[in-house]
Amino acid sequence: MNLLPRFGTIGPGDLLVSNFNNQANLQGTGSTIVRIVPSSKPVVFFQGGPGLGLSTALGVLQAGFVLVGSVPTTDGTFATIKAGSLLILNRTGNIAAQWTPALAKIDGPWDLTIFDQGNTAKVFVSNVLNGTVVRLDVGISENGVNLKGATQIASGFPFRGDPAALVVGPTGLAYDPQRDVLYVASTVDNAVFAVFGAGTTNHDGGKGVVIYADNAHLHGPLGLALGPNGDLFTANGDAINSDPNQPSEIVEFTPQGRFVAQLSVDPAQGGAFGLAFSQIRDDFVHFAAVDDNVPNITDWHLHVDDAGR
């Protein structure tokens, strides 16, 4: 899920949501990205071929290009899961490029986050089929997105097939460019790690450092976002350390590992999934979160002072 910036033909305030399941609810077979427009019906932004399995590795560049990960299966089971690829779409929803595992060092691109500097960007991708994180350094022009280099910067995160979630492993990523720290939600570890020097290193730093491990409030963290107040927000998928008394929780915590608050988005387990922040202006933000059980999306329009409450 990604809230769009004010660039490209996709309008400001629009929300993009990738579909991992198809209409028959088979995991790893979804092939569409839906554009959600305020006060209007959802429309399809991208329609790919069958069986793509578009993951939460979804991001939008200032130039209007959309990056999305594909982790396909043929029958919705872990037995047929494939390494997938990263698709680069132009602002009209057509494929401009496709980055393969050999080119981009990806293996099940499960989630991503982007540090966009206009003509260049750093794209961090978590890989659910080998437990690594890679940094993709890219150049950007009106004509396309050029992959300049791929560096594995973290590894050792546990991953495995799961009968309910299909596969679990490193998922949500959030990058703080001021500190050059990448935060990684490791679902199987039930913890969030910090990888220091993520934007500049040329070496694999392993799993980094645990900054938040809280069995009372973490229940298989998936999506991860850095809020405007400097806190981190994660969506509990309930596949790990589940608690029926705390279903589908979004948890807020500080980068120093202090629990702040939590919010349930569904009375049943397994609903919390993707989440995203987008700045509207200096004092207001959008905060959007998926309830995968219904499914639906809630988009809060928050004053910055209230974004962490």
Side-chain angles (χ1 to χ4, degrees):
M1 180 176 65
N2 201 278
L3 287 155
L4 294 174
R6 299 175 180 269
F7 292 89
T9 57
I10 312 167
D14 293 356
L15 178 69
L16 290 186
V17 181
S18 55
N19 288 308
F20 188 61
N21 295 18
N22 66 3
Q23 290 184 339
N25 208 31
L26 287 178
Q27 299 183 93
T29 57
S31 57
T32 58
I33 297 175
V34 178
R35 175 188 176 203
I36 297 176
V37 183
S39 304
S40 184
K41 293 183 178 180
V43 296
V44 175
F45 167 72
F46 170 71
Q47 174 67 69
L52 281 176
L54 298 180
S55 69
T56 58
L58 178 66
V60 185
L61 295 168
Q62 294 178 26
F65 293 98
V66 177
L67 282 67
V68 63
S70 168
V71 186
T73 69
T74 58
D75 58 3
T77 71
F78 184 73
T80 64
I81 202 165
K82 303 296 182 184
S85 63
L86 270 176
L87 304 179
I88 292 81
L89 313 176
N90 63 23
R91 56 190 63 133
T92 58
N94 294 309
I95 297 177
Q98 185 170 3
W99 295 344
T100 62
L103 180 67
K105 297 184 179 180
I106 54 176
D107 191 2
W110 206 225
D111 210 318
L112 63 75
T113 191
I114 299 173
F115 177 46
D116 193 339
Q117 297 170 289
N119 294 328
T120 63
K122 300 180 188 297
V123 182
F124 301 93
V125 183
S126 59
N127 294 296
V128 75
L129 296 181
N130 66 4
T132 68
V133 177
V134 298
R135 185 189 70 236
L136 307 179
D137 296 297
V138 304
I140 306 159
S141 70
E142 292 184 358
N143 298 321
V145 182
N146 177 39
L147 179 58
K148 294 184 174 180
T151 305
Q152 182 173 303
I153 62 169
S155 63
F157 299 105
F159 59 96
R160 58 171 173 78
D162 184 272
L166 181 68
V167 61
V168 288
T171 309
L173 302 173
Y175 180 62
D176 182 350
Q178 295 184 337
R179 300 178 62 211
D180 192 16
V181 178
L182 180 72
Y183 299 100
V184 183
S186 180
T187 306
V188 180
D189 283 313
N190 201 44
V192 178
F193 291 76
V195 180
F196 295 92
T200 53
T201 185
N202 292 317
H203 304 286
D204 185 335
K207 293 168 72 172
V209 178
V210 175
I211 62 148
Y212 189 53
D214 177 359
N215 284 333
H217 299 104
L218 284 184
H219 309 286
L222 296 173
L224 187 67
L226 187 64
N229 62 352
D231 286 351
L232 289 154
F233 295 74
T234 192
N236 281 313
D238 299 321
I240 305 294
N241 189 40
S242 64
D243 180 356
N245 295 315
Q246 299 183 80
S248 304
E249 298 281 0
I250 295 173
V251 175
E252 177 185 0
F253 58 97
T254 70
Q256 294 75 37
R258 180 178 62 84
F259 170 77
V260 177
Q262 66 181 16
L263 170 70
S264 176
V265 297
D266 193 282
Q269 291 184 315
F273 204 71
L275 46 78
F277 280 97
S278 180
Q279 198 83 21
I280 302 172
R281 59 176 194 258
D282 288 344
D283 53 346
F284 277 95
V285 297
H286 277 302
F287 177 57
V290 169
D291 179 353
D292 202 42
N293 286 343
V294 180
N296 67 19
I297 295 171
T298 302
D299 183 8
W300 291 275
H301 186 185
L302 303 173
H303 192 276
V304 171
D305 289 343
D306 298 327
R309 298 178 185 174

